[in-house]
Amino acid sequence: VSGDTTAGHAWAACMAMEQAANISIPPRAALLRGILAERERVANHLGDIGAICNDVAFTFAHMQFSRLREDWLRTQAKIFGHRLLMDCVIPGGVKKDIGDADCDAFNADNLKLRKELSDIITALDLNSSLEDRLYTAGFLSADIAAAFGTVGYVGRASGQDFDVRRDAPYPPYDHVTVKVASENQGDIASRFWIRYKEIMASMKLIEQFMALLQPGEIAAAWQVPVAGSTGLGIVDGWRGEIVSFIRFGADNSISRFYPRDPSQLNWPALEKLVLNNIVPDFPVCNKSVNGSYSGNDL
């Protein structure tokens, strides 16, 4: 559906299939899915922060965040076999388990990222030229954000205090406290800082999930659903709420599948937040939303 949201969309689709088949995934599988989803969130937010800076010609920040994202992705390739975590989430659970050495690698990633971000973010926060381009630009009011049903960082940067992980929790989020980042200024700067706050929160969640890991199965046996069975999967992808609907036909076939990407709700808001901005600010307004083209054009 959208390659940068592989874990999120696969999870929503599998959750729908599992509901239709009336199976529950093992606790260890749920924790591993949580780790995958939060690592996906961190990787994409790192890329977006750098890209926002690049669109206002602050190439130093773009290079630094691209480097941090690359290091993060290489760990995923080494442990899960794919940089973007494809083929990791499967019906019934996950495909690959992790060991103590893998958890050590995740902790090392977190330690390094926190240290580097403390320096880089400070430099960005003190850059007056960057502030001039991000603050007050691309304003999206709370009323318009609510009217358009915006989700994820677009909604949360405009005062929309909703997160599926906290407000309609599913395993493993129902075993931890999810701190939802929020901003209320509704400008590009707010969408920038929401991403940074979510990176910090995601690293903490990854550590909590690893601490909860207990030996056990990583996938439940599949049961062929009765023809006509339906399921609905709702998870929080890194762009926001993902909803997937599935109906099974006969002989384990899928007769209907509809995934709703967060971009379908967030893209229309872009038409509002670009109003009254100078033309050179369009690219950075667009990047601050960063909807998925493929996710929208289903």
Side-chain angles (χ1 to χ4, degrees):
V1 175
S2 185
D4 58 16
T5 319
T6 295
H9 271 290
W11 192 348
C14 286
M15 184 185 291
M17 285 187 271
E18 290 149 9
Q19 187 182 100
N22 196 29
I23 63 173
S24 298
I25 67 172
R28 187 176 180 88
L31 289 163
L32 292 174
R33 284 183 178 183
I35 292 170
L36 290 165
E38 296 307 321
R39 284 195 62 93
E40 181 172 78
R41 190 184 308 272
V42 170
N44 282 289
H45 283 340
L46 288 172
D48 273 9
I49 290 174
I52 288 171
C53 293
N54 188 57
D55 279 347
V56 294
F58 192 13
T59 54
F60 165 79
H62 185 214
M63 292 170 63
Q64 295 303 316
F65 279 94
S66 296
R67 173 180 61 83
L68 294 174
R69 178 177 182 270
E70 178 63 24
D71 289 343
W72 194 263
L73 294 180
R74 289 184 182 187
T75 297
Q76 294 179 177
K78 181 179 179 181
I79 293 175
F80 295 111
H82 200 287
R83 291 161 57 87
L84 300 184
L85 305 177
M86 293 185 178
D87 304 319
C88 292
V89 179
I90 60 173
V94 294
K95 188 175 182 179
K96 186 181 185 302
D97 205 349
I98 61 173
D100 291 341
D102 301 323
C103 290
D104 290 342
F106 295 152
N107 282 322
D109 273 0
N110 286 356
L111 182 66
K112 178 184 176 183
L113 186 55
R114 284 192 179 104
K115 182 177 183 300
E116 297 231 29
L117 282 178
S118 66
D119 294 331
I120 298 172
I121 286 292
T122 300
L124 268 58
D125 196 27
L126 295 175
N127 189 296
S128 58
S129 295
L130 183 64
E131 287 184 353
D132 287 344
R133 295 296 303 277
L134 303 187
Y135 284 90
T136 73
F139 175 68
L140 181 69
S141 71
D143 289 343
I144 293 178
F148 278 73
T150 55
V151 295
Y153 51 79
V154 175
R156 292 194 278 265
S158 292
Q160 306 308 297
D161 186 22
F162 179 78
D163 189 312
V164 183
R165 297 171 297 171
R166 180 195 65 191
D167 301 316
Y170 48 96
Y173 296 101
D174 54 350
H175 287 84
V176 296
T177 299
V178 179
K179 184 176 181 180
V180 179
S182 63
E183 292 278 340
N184 53 27
Q185 291 137 328
D187 56 6
I188 295 172
S190 288
R191 293 187 284 278
F192 176 101
W193 287 111
I194 280 286
R195 287 171 163 92
Y196 169 71
K197 290 179 179 179
E198 288 200 354
I199 288 172
M200 304 305 288
S202 289
M203 286 192 288
K204 185 172 290 187
L205 284 171
I206 291 168
E207 290 163 354
Q208 289 178 302
F209 292 154
M210 288 191 295
L212 291 172
L213 282 172
Q214 296 292 329
E217 298 295 323
I218 62 170
W222 181 250
Q223 298 177 172
V224 177
V226 176
S229 297
T230 61
L232 189 70
I234 305 175
V235 305
D236 193 79
W238 72 274
R239 280 192 179 93
E241 178 190 279
I242 297 171
V243 180
S244 283
F245 170 81
I246 279 180
R247 178 187 297 131
F248 278 87
D251 302 321
N252 208 35
S253 63
I254 295 175
S255 60
R256 293 289 186 272
F257 172 48
Y258 178 74
R260 191 204 70 187
D261 190 87
S263 307
Q264 292 183 321
L265 297 173
N266 291 342
W267 266 130
L270 178 63
E271 296 183 11
K272 296 297 184 181
L273 64 87
V274 298
L275 298 175
N276 302 315
N277 286 266
I278 59 174
V279 172
D281 277 349
F282 174 78
V284 68
C285 286
N286 181 40
K287 180 52 67 176
S288 74
V289 173
N290 191 20
S292 168
Y293 297 97
S294 60
N296 188 70
D297 299 336
L298 293 172

